[in-house]
Amino acid sequence: MARLVQFDRLGGPEVLTLRDVEVGAPGAGEVLIRVDAIGLNRAEIMYREGGYFYEPVFPSTLGYEAAGVVEAVGEGVDGFAEGDLVAVVPAFLQSEYGTYGDHVIVPASAVVPRPADVDPVQAAAVWMAYITAYGPLAESRQVRPGDHVLITAASSSVGLAAIQVARHVGAIPIATTRGADKKQRLLDAGAAHVIVTDEEDLPARIKEITGGEGVRLAFDPIAGPGVETLAQGIAPGGFLVVYGALDPRPTPLPNAQSFPALNSSTYTLFEITTNPERLGRAVAFVNAGLASGSFNPVVDRTFDLAEIADAHRYMAANGQVGKIVVTVAHDEATS
């Protein structure tokens, strides 16, 4: 038997239940993993509440990221064997697979090797954040050395990864945060500048920082009407990349009536993780950054698997700086 987090109805953290279930053997193209750590993402809150871009199938599990050890592989799986250290990347629907458990089955296409010197907590904090940042800031080649990059909601795990990726490619990261309490931590995390949006005029500060030029790219998980303000700080020919929908209100085409020289797009890491060739390049890029020390995942706090509801409440409160990770204890006599 395995312990698996499931929920039977939409709602708050209280709907999450830790249950004993029979996991079974992995099928063709699948891998059974003993999970040691789970990375939490805001997408899982949205999924639990019914606000994600697809609906749960009850009883539903959830979770996109994990780190652990391979216990069995299904038919047709090459490249992985029992005992391999691995991590799980977001490359599947939570209505079909999930990582919130002590033993889970996931598609082999969503599994990547974990270097021996990267511990499970670090590995569980890497892939959603760094692949999300990698796409627009590195793979797209839209950002050049010396360019200014605006990173909104920068205290999130993706925001902090984006600061590090921007620096890795030679760009100058400008971080935003609503309150001044996180400003110093963002500077310590590598932001060249921090704009406190509750206290400062965002377009004016961007123009001041960039000498009137504006940023080359704005990287935004919020969406909604606020993109109009972001657009005012983007240089002509620059890019607005929206990768989330934290603001549920409609998102306009920024300044459409004035026809600015602005490239607007949406983006998710699934564009990369569901493409084997692109995923391979992303994994190589991130692993190189980890090995060189350019990338250092920031973990705000850890919870035990039995505290999963508390972990979701903590994430919903928006006080964290970095990743929330759930650790999984195993009884070695039965694991």
Side-chain angles (χ1 to χ4, degrees), residues 66-332:
V69 180
V70 173
E71 289 211 337
V73 299
E75 182 181 353
V77 174
D78 296 318
F80 295 105
E82 183 180 349
D84 285 352
L85 303 179
V86 293
V88 180
V89 304
F92 49 81
L93 299 179
Q94 296 178 95
S95 54
E96 297 176 356
Y97 297 95
T99 59
Y100 283 22
D102 61 7
H103 291 78
V104 300
I105 292 174
V106 294
S109 58
V111 179
V112 299
R114 171 164 60 93
D117 59 348
V118 178
D119 67 45
V121 170
Q122 281 186 305
V126 168
W127 295 106
M128 173 73 87
Y130 284 87
I131 293 179
T132 301
Y134 159 82
L137 299 180
E139 185 192 50
S140 71
R141 300 185 182 179
Q142 292 169 349
V143 176
R144 305 158 303 195
D147 283 341
H148 288 87
V149 174
L150 183 70
I151 300 164
T152 65
S155 61
S156 69
S157 58
V158 176
L160 293 168
I163 290 171
Q164 295 176 18
V165 172
R167 284 202 170 276
H168 189 70
V169 301
I172 303 168
I174 303 171
T176 77
T177 182
R178 292 179 58 187
D181 56 316
K182 295 180 180 179
K183 180 175 181 177
Q184 188 58 49
R185 294 187 68 177
L186 290 172
L187 291 169
D188 293 342
H193 306 274
V194 176
I195 301 173
V196 180
T197 57
D198 282 352
E199 301 175 1
E200 301 176 274
D201 182 286
L202 180 64
R205 282 289 289 129
I206 291 172
K207 294 293 177 64
E208 180 183 347
I209 291 167
T210 63
E213 180 180 346
V215 299
R216 172 71 173 173
L217 184 145
F219 187 53
D220 176 55
I222 301 170
V227 298
E228 293 274 19
T229 303
L230 297 182
Q232 297 174 41
I234 299 175
F239 300 86
L240 169 64
V241 179
V242 176
Y243 69 94
L246 297 179
D247 187 335
R249 294 176 294 176
T251 302
L253 184 63
N255 296 322
Q257 291 182 344
S258 63
F259 296 96
L262 173 67
N263 302 280
S264 302
S265 65
T266 57
Y267 162 78
T268 76
L269 86 166
F270 297 107
E271 298 172 27
I272 294 173
T273 60
T274 56
N275 181 309
E277 183 179 347
R278 294 179 71 184
L279 177 58
R281 290 196 298 265
V283 170
F285 177 87
V286 175
N287 277 335
L290 291 170
S292 71
S294 292
F295 301 159
N296 182 26
V298 177
V299 176
D300 178 273
R301 184 174 171 182
T302 62
F303 289 82
D304 183 79
L305 182 61
E307 301 171 311
I308 189 63
D310 290 335
H312 267 233
R313 291 186 185 97
Y314 183 71
M315 181 164 50
N318 294 320
Q320 78 271 17
V321 175
K323 195 78 166 182
I324 300 167
V325 175
V326 169
T327 58
V328 183
H330 294 274
D331 180 350
E332 294 301 328

